[in-house]
Amino acid sequence: MASGSKKLTAAEIEANDAELLARLGYKQELKRELTSVGNMGMALSVVCISSGLTSLFAYGLTTGGPVVMVW
């Protein structure tokens, strides 16, 4: 984005994308929204992955060290 250009709102970006898709011969079919439940699910999945990796890392170090973790 150039320094002199204005910032686009989400509605303007969506309209521009829909127009581009129409020029290419497609229709926008997917919704671009995240509900509260979806947002919570995404946050929990990120937290679970990070906490799971750290606990497995600690388990690997205590049961055999780096050699066991790589093997």
Side-chain angles (χ1 to χ4, degrees):
M1 187 180 333
S3 60
S5 63
K6 70 170 191 156
K7 286 190 162 221
L8 297 175
T9 64
E12 290 173 330
I13 292 171
E14 190 170 340
N16 289 345
D17 290 347
E19 179 186 338
L20 176 61
L21 285 172
R23 281 188 288 164
L24 293 173
Y26 295 100
K27 181 178 100 174
Q28 183 171 346
E29 297 178 12
L30 298 175
K31 291 190 235 178
R32 296 183 186 187
E33 58 187 40
L34 194 59
T35 62
S36 298
V37 174
N39 193 11
M40 188 188 331
M42 182 67 79
L44 286 175
S45 68
V46 169
V47 169
C48 289
I49 290 171
S50 61
S51 63
L53 286 177
T54 55
S55 64
L56 288 175
F57 186 72
Y59 178 75
L61 285 176
T62 58
T63 58
V67 174
V68 172
M69 293 172 61
V70 173
W71 181 260

